């Protein structure tokens, strides 16, 4: 990695397959291959399929799997152009090496289809993925197949380098007819004819790289010219007076100027005049022409500065590695179908649906992994159950409640989900509801509630009704059920440990054992049980076990000083107290679940509101950048004597600006609505004080209030 990469915040990293995936051999891998070739993952070699004629394209699953490992936005930098023009070498130098992509010195091309580097440039805001393509005039490929490769490359990339030898002239454009076919090979909206200016919003930036250029580029008067100015005004510009005079070269120039959001040009001198060095250029970086090496360094810096995250179809959207892998499959299917063409809106819509579904599945898995780890830690690997709510937890206990853990993990995975879907942009100004629908789907997978109510006697003696929620299904429900089972087992063992010695003495009482000692031991054991019992089943277990203990009633009468009336009154008081405690737990649970859901909803709304505000700023920034680019495009088309298309570009700009303004107004309305919802939730939480259930505190043995 060079100082240039470090200067601009990029570092070279190797892509890793998912857990259990097979390691990729080599520094590059085919992403898309013609159907007469196949990738051997065990050897890392592309093999020819005998007896198969090249007719279609196919994706390579191992390469898609590497792409799927990039969750953040990607900037796909692709290079295309004629065979044997040094495309692969330039990409290798971008990674700070000389042989990341296979190089060759024979007349036959070394690259077929589209290849992807297994190393990427990872930056702060996005990751740069490098794509190398088959030469446009490769042997065995037809003009239509060249067009397919170009269509796929453009659809996948955010920056396209067209690499060719020497300074081009107007007549050289006739060899680039595949650019004319772009308008027929892609549509922005399915089933609709697309205006050429509409492609610019979704097509990559275009850089024409001229290789082996030693002479200065000059105008007709011999004055030095900037390469970009020369390209736009001398090569791509139209020479005819009207449409009737438009040549094939004019049409190619118009396509390039019109389709791409920006068009630039750069030059590189010849690496070396020595044949041996040129045939093995990767081994002779230090022996190359210093002007060439300096030019490559300048080019690398220029490309790093120009790179941006690939934009999706919707405003404010970016494409992650996962999304690009999904889109690549759809694009390949479309170019292979003679009755279909890739539609940007439909592809993006399908991608969003798959991305959101995938994000929910991944978040649910993460929730379970985090919950299992947290529960295991808090319960000491299943030894001590958790209380469900804080009100039932002892004041001195440092152990978290089950709902504490759920709430913490829920917030973590909600953040994760919003981050995963946040870069998908906004299609209608209704981003809040779009993301809310995704969060709601995720939440239903994690926890589902039912409305319940319970009557109880309040502290002032009045009868009241508590309405709230009970968890009935979802991932959380499994943890609640598991914790109940643990609580039941734990409390049963505790009860037996505390009361078994008493039971044995009652069954065979010592001669000096009396009723007063029995009552003291029962009271002490019950108090210990109340202090040590854990989890939601402690009162249920105490109630059931106490009934079993009463089976020893006949033995009580054998104890000295036995007072049946005292025993009956004590049992009656304990029975009432247990019922009151269980009712208190039920009422408190209804309140807690309702409050927890409201708080979780409020926190989620706050995060979505913040994300919505950031999205609005992103859309405004993109619109400002688009205006600047469109103004430059208008001037370029005028200078290229394409007045008609310059006028169309201006009209398209005005139409797009109006649409963006309308979108911003809808987003502002949505922002205000989200703020109102948050205020309503905050008020609802304040207006619902916790219930106070009347539970006797002087029952003589324990209480929970």
């Amino acid at each position: 990695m060079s100082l240039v990469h470090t200067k601009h915040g990029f570092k070279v990293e190797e892509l890793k397959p998912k857990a259990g995936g097979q390691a990729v051999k080599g520094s590059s891998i085919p992403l898309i291959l013609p159907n007469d070739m196949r990738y051997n993952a065990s050897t890392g070699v592309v093999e020819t399929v005998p007896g198969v004629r090249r007719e279609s394209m196919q994706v390579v699953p191992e390469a898609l799997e590497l792409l799927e490992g990039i969750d953040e936005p990607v900037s796909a930098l692709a290079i295309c152009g004629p065979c044997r023009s040094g495309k692969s070498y330039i990409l290798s130098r971008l990674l700070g090496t000389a042989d990341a992509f296979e190089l060759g010195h024979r007349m036959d091309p070394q690259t077929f289809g589209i290849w992807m580097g297994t190393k990427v440039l990872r930056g702060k805001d996005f990751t740069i993925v490098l794509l190398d393509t088959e030469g446009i005039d490769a042997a065995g490929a037809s003009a239509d197949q060249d067009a397919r490769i170009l269509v796929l490359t453009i659809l996948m990339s955010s920056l396209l380098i067209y690499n060719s030898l020497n300074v081009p002239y107007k007549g050289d454009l006739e060899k680039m007819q595949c650019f004319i076919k772009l308008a027929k090979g892609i549509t922005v909206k399915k089933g609709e004819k697309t205006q050429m200016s509409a492609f610019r919003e979704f097509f990559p930036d275009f850089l024409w790289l001229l290789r082996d250029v030693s002479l200065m580029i000059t105008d007709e008067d011999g004055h030095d010219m900037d390469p970009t100015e020369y390209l736009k005004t001398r090569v791509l510009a139209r020479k005819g007076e009207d449409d009737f005079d438009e040549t094939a070269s004019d049409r190619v120039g118009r396509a390039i100027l019109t389709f791409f959001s920006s068009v630039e040009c750069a030059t590189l001198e010849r690496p070396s005049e020595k044949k041996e060095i040129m045939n093995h250029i990767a081994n002779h970086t230090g022996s190359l022409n210093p002007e060439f090496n300096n030019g490559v360094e300048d080019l690398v810096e220029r490309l790093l500065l120009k790179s941006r995250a690939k934009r999706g179809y919707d405003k404010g959207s970016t494409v992650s590695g996962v999304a690009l892998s999904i889109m690549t499959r759809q694009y390949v299917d479309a170019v292979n179908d003679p009755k279909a063409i890739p539609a940007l809106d439909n592809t993006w819509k399908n991608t969003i649906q798959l991305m959101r579904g995938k994000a929910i599945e991944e978040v649910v898995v993460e929730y379970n992994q985090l919950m299992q780890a947290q529960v295991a830690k808090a319960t000491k690997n299943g030894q001590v159950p958790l209380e469900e709510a804080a009100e039932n937890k002892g004041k001195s206990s440092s152990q978290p409640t089950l709902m504490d853990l759920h709430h913490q993990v829920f917030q973590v995975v909600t953040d994760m989900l919003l981050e995963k879907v946040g870069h998908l942009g906004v299609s209608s100004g209704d981003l809040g509801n779009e993301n809310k629908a995704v969060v709601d789907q995720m939440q239903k997978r994690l926890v589902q509630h039912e409305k319940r109510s319970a009557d109880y006697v309040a502290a002032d003696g009045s009868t009241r009704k508590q309405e709230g929620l009970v968890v009935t299904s979802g991932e959380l429900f499994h943890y609640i059920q598991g914790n109940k089972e643990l609580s039941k087992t734990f409390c049963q063992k505790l009860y037996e440990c505390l009361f078994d010695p008493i039971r044995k003495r009652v069954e065979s009482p010592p001669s000096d054992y009396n009723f007063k000692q029995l009552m003291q031991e029962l009271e002490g054991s019950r108090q210990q049980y109340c202090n040590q019992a854990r989890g939601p089943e402690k009162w249920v277990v105490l109630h059931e076990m106490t009934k079993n203990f009463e089976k020893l009633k006949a033995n009580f009468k054998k104890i000295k000083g036995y007072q049946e009336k005292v025993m009956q009154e004590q049992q009656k008081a304990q029975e009432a107290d247990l019922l009151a405690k269980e009712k208190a737990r039920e009422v408190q649970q209804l309140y807690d679940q309702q409050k927890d859901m409201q708080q979780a909803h409020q926190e989620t709304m706050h995060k979505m509101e913040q994300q919505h505000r950031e999205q609005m700023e992103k859309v405004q920034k993109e619109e400002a950048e688009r205006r600047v680019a469109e103004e430059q495009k208008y001037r370029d088309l005028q200078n290229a004597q394409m007045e008609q298309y310059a006028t169309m570009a201006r009209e398209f700009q005005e139409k797009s600006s109006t649409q963006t303004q309308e979108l911003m107004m809808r987003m502002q309305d949505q922002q205000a609505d989200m703020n109102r919802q948050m205020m309503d939730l905050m008020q609802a939480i304040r207006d619902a004080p916790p219930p106070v259930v009347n539970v006797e505190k002087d029952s003589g043995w324990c209480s929970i209030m």
Side-chain angles (χ1 to χ4, degrees), residues 315-316 426 429 431 608-623 660 663-672 674-675:
K315 295 288 186 182
V426 52
L431 177 67
M608 289 194 297
E609 186 272 338
Q610 184 179 7
Q611 189 180 68
H612 193 276
R613 187 168 56 250
E614 292 171 354
Q615 197 72 39
M616 288 176 63
E617 294 173 356
K618 188 175 181 181
V619 171
Q620 289 175 323
K621 181 181 177 182
E622 284 186 1
E623 175 61 13
T660 302
L663 173 65
M664 288 300 300
M665 291 178 64
R666 292 196 298 271
M667 293 184 75
Q668 289 169 357
D669 291 342
Q670 180 69 17
Q671 184 85 11
M674 293 171 73
N675 288 330

Side-chain angles (χ1 to χ4, degrees), residues 407 410-411 414-415 417-418 430-440 442-443 596-614 667 669-683 685:
H407 188 74
F410 180 81
Q411 293 307 314
T414 298
D415 289 346
L417 181 67
L418 288 175
D430 206 17
L431 177 67
N433 285 339
E434 290 172 349
N435 283 352
K436 182 178 182 298
V438 179
V439 173
D440 286 346
M442 181 269 288
Q443 187 173 17
D596 181 78
M597 187 197 72
Q598 290 175 332
Q599 287 181 334
H601 190 40
Q602 179 191 348
E603 292 169 2
T604 301
M605 285 293 296
H606 175 71
K607 292 170 183 175
M608 289 194 297
E609 186 272 338
Q610 184 179 7
Q611 189 180 68
H612 193 276
R613 187 168 56 250
E614 292 171 354
M667 293 184 75
D669 291 342
Q670 180 69 17
Q671 184 85 11
D673 186 55
M674 293 171 73
N675 288 330
R676 284 193 296 270
Q677 290 183 47
M678 281 196 297
M679 295 299 295
D680 291 344
L681 276 170
M682 292 171 64
Q683 189 63 43
I685 293 172

Side-chain angles (χ1 to χ4, degrees), residues 80-91:
C80 67
C83 292
R84 319 302 322 127
S85 57
K87 299 186 299 299
S88 302
Y89 180 76
I90 289 298
L91 287 188

Side-chain angles (χ1 to χ4, degrees), residues 350-397:
N350 294 337
T351 299
I352 285 179
Q353 290 177 345
L354 291 171
M355 286 284 291
R356 287 175 173 163
K358 184 180 179 68
I360 290 173
E361 294 300 324
E362 290 175 347
V363 162
V364 170
V365 170
E366 183 70 15
Y367 173 86
N368 281 315
Q369 290 177 345
L370 291 175
M371 278 294 287
Q372 288 167 10
Q374 295 286 355
V375 168
K377 180 180 178 182
T379 62
K380 299 179 180 179
N381 291 320
Q383 296 182 43
V384 183
L386 304 175
E387 298 294 350
E388 281 190 14
E391 286 75 11
N392 294 325
K393 184 172 72 170
K395 294 181 180 179
S396 61
S397 176

Side-chain angles (χ1 to χ4, degrees), residues 446-507:
L446 300 184
V447 53
Q448 291 192 36
H449 299 91
E450 281 187 7
K451 288 185 177 181
R452 300 277 177 85
S453 63
D455 296 326
Y456 68 97
V457 178
D460 60 4
S462 62
T463 301
R464 298 183 184 178
K465 181 185 290 293
Q466 177 65 43
E467 295 185 345
L469 300 173
V470 173
V471 178
T472 56
S473 60
E475 301 299 323
L476 174 61
F477 183 72
H478 301 313
Y479 294 99
I480 290 176
Q481 292 300 103
N483 189 57
K484 282 186 175 181
E485 289 298 319
L486 179 59
S487 174
K488 183 176 181 180
T489 302
F490 178 88
C491 292
Q492 285 175 342
K493 290 180 179 179
L494 175 64
Y495 186 95
E496 291 171 355
C497 179
L498 294 172
F499 286 87
D500 195 56
I502 301 175
R503 180 184 60 78
K504 290 179 178 178
R505 276 192 290 276
V506 169
E507 289 176 343

